[in-house]
Amino acid sequence: MTPVRAEEPVSLRDRVYLDLGKLLMAGDIDHRTRLVESQLCETLNVSRTPLREALVRLHADGMLERRPDGYYPVALDIPGVRDLYELRITIELRGITRILETEELQYDKDRLAALRAEWLELKASPPPPDGVMVLRDEAFHVELCAASGNRAMVATLDNVNRRIRLIRMYDFVTEERVSATVDEHLEIVDLLLDDQLDAGRTALHEHVGASFEVVERRALRALSARALGRSVSSLEALWR
């Protein structure tokens, strides 16, 4: 799935994917329960075609298991997510480090300036705290990496993002987290545009690290709720 730019609307197929992912993250579907297409179509108010596309995506992302009788949710794997976040940080920081280490390399300032303009618009009109924010955040980080000039790193980062996309919904469920993310993104871009690469690398490291801390804490609360036999109708309910 192509990451969503700040100004782009979300397609129906992406919306169904995110909405079903939210049900999985909130624990509204028990991992022992087979997913029934007719019931999900009614719950999500969609036809079978976008739903089936969402199921295929979620299976590819490791969120669903395919058995002979259909799809089943996969339990959250916190250690696995931690490993993927570590890989994500390594890739993103390397984008800056390679430019620091090689005089011939430099950032594509035009791309950075365009990225800054997008997020200034979001600062002026903040998006709601929902799953779409995950796609916008992905787009920022992929474009930031692309501006460093290594296409192979961009492809790897995109793959990592896909595998942690849904659990990262836990990072964007409050207006405060959305606002903080916008501000941190602008800080990182401004530092890179001003050629303060060391400071930009530090800011990026802190930003991604803080994201994982929030995701891990809230995901563990979700797991605790499920262990007690409770489902939550929204992700926000986990920490109110």
Side-chain angles (χ1 to χ4, degrees), residues 29-46:
I29 304 175
D30 188 88
H31 71 276
R32 295 162 295 187
T33 302
R34 180 176 64 87
L35 302 186
V36 179
E37 287 189 7
S38 59
Q39 293 177 356
L40 290 175
C41 286
E42 182 176 351
T43 298
L44 299 173
N45 193 28
V46 295

Side-chain angles (χ1 to χ4, degrees), residues 155-170:
T156 304
L157 178 61
D158 191 54
N159 180 263
V160 172
N161 283 338
R162 177 179 59 79
R163 296 170 65 187
I164 62 175
R165 178 177 294 142
L166 292 181
I167 197 171
R168 291 192 62 234
M169 286 185 184
Y170 289 117

